Amino acid sequence: MAEVIVIGAGPAGASAALFLAKAGKETLVLDSNASMTKRAWIENHYGAKDISGPDLLKIGREQAEKFGAKFIEEKVTHIDANGGSTVTVKTESGRGYEASHIILATGALTDLANATGLELKEGREPRIKTVIATDGQGRTSVPRIWAAGTAAGVSVHTIITAGDGAKVAIELISEINGERYVDHDVLK
């Protein structure tokens, strides 16, 4: 059982996985390989002069894997909050995975959130009709299920979704640890 399952490996999901894994949380990322970032050319991402979406996704995954995050290409089809201390997800292949928490970072897709019974609201971005309602920290209407990135209503720009994934991970790590978590490395 993982401590946290992240559903989606776009900028929000991979960024959340990076922060979670670096904080020592056992992190599993389930990704359907359908990120809209795969089709992007990016010239407005701070710290990168320009980068292709596929390269950005590859680097983000490598960063998270460096700290122990595990990535599996699987499409999640069902989430069960179990009414208790764990959340179970089922995938298209029939596999099941269990974790203490999950983060939905499914980009423009909210079908899974809707089927799970999460509260949704109208999106503000062009072509993003519905998003997952959160408390601003990433918590959804169902305990142990968090949401980040475009799925949670932030702008589709990669720098913003990546930042939101990191923010939600920090909030989740802080909740798990019982104290505010800060991750700052310094030059030696």
Side-chain angles (χ1 to χ4, degrees):
M1 181 175 101
E3 235 175 311
V4 182
I5 294 173
V6 178
I7 301 173
S15 182
L18 169 60
F19 274 79
L20 288 160
K22 192 167 183 273
K25 306 306 176 194
E26 186 178 344
T27 305
L28 173 63
V29 182
L30 300 174
D31 183 51
S32 65
N33 198 22
S35 174
M36 67 177 106
T37 304
K38 288 173 53 174
R39 300 181 308 275
W41 177 254
I42 304 155
E43 294 185 357
N44 61 351
H45 197 99
Y46 179 80
K49 290 182 183 180
D50 52 48
I51 190 167
S52 73
D55 286 343
L56 183 69
L57 294 172
K58 179 178 181 282
I59 292 167
R61 178 177 175 155
E62 289 170 352
Q63 288 177 299
E65 287 176 329
K66 172 184 171 184
F67 293 104
K70 293 179 178 58
F71 286 71
I72 299 175
E73 191 171 315
E74 287 262 28
K75 181 178 181 179
V76 174
T77 57
H78 180 76
I79 299 171
D80 184 353
N82 302 326
S85 62
T86 64
V87 180
T88 303
V89 300
K90 300 282 185 193
T91 64
E92 209 167 51
S93 70
R95 288 187 178 146
Y97 300 92
E98 190 175 52
S100 296
H101 299 271
I102 67 167
I103 296 175
L104 286 169
T106 54
L109 306 175
T110 56
D111 293 348
L112 182 60
N114 188 42
T116 304
L118 299 182
E119 181 183 338
L120 303 176
K121 64 182 186 178
E122 187 176 328
R124 298 182 321 137
E125 291 283 300
R127 298 178 295 284
I128 308 296
K129 295 192 183 324
T130 307
V131 297
I132 302 165
T134 70
D135 67 355
Q137 308 308 310
R139 290 176 198 85
T140 70
S141 58
V142 175
R144 302 191 173 279
I145 300 178
W146 301 66
T150 302
V154 303
S155 174
V156 298
H157 297 90
T158 59
I159 191 78
I160 297 171
T161 60
D164 194 59
K167 176 197 80 177
V168 171
I170 293 296
E171 296 299 335
L172 176 51
I173 295 163
S174 297
E175 184 170 297
I176 292 169
N177 291 352
E179 63 183 11
R180 187 69 182 161
Y181 177 76
V182 177
D183 179 5
H184 288 207
D185 297 322
V186 295
L187 292 172
K188 296 185 186 220

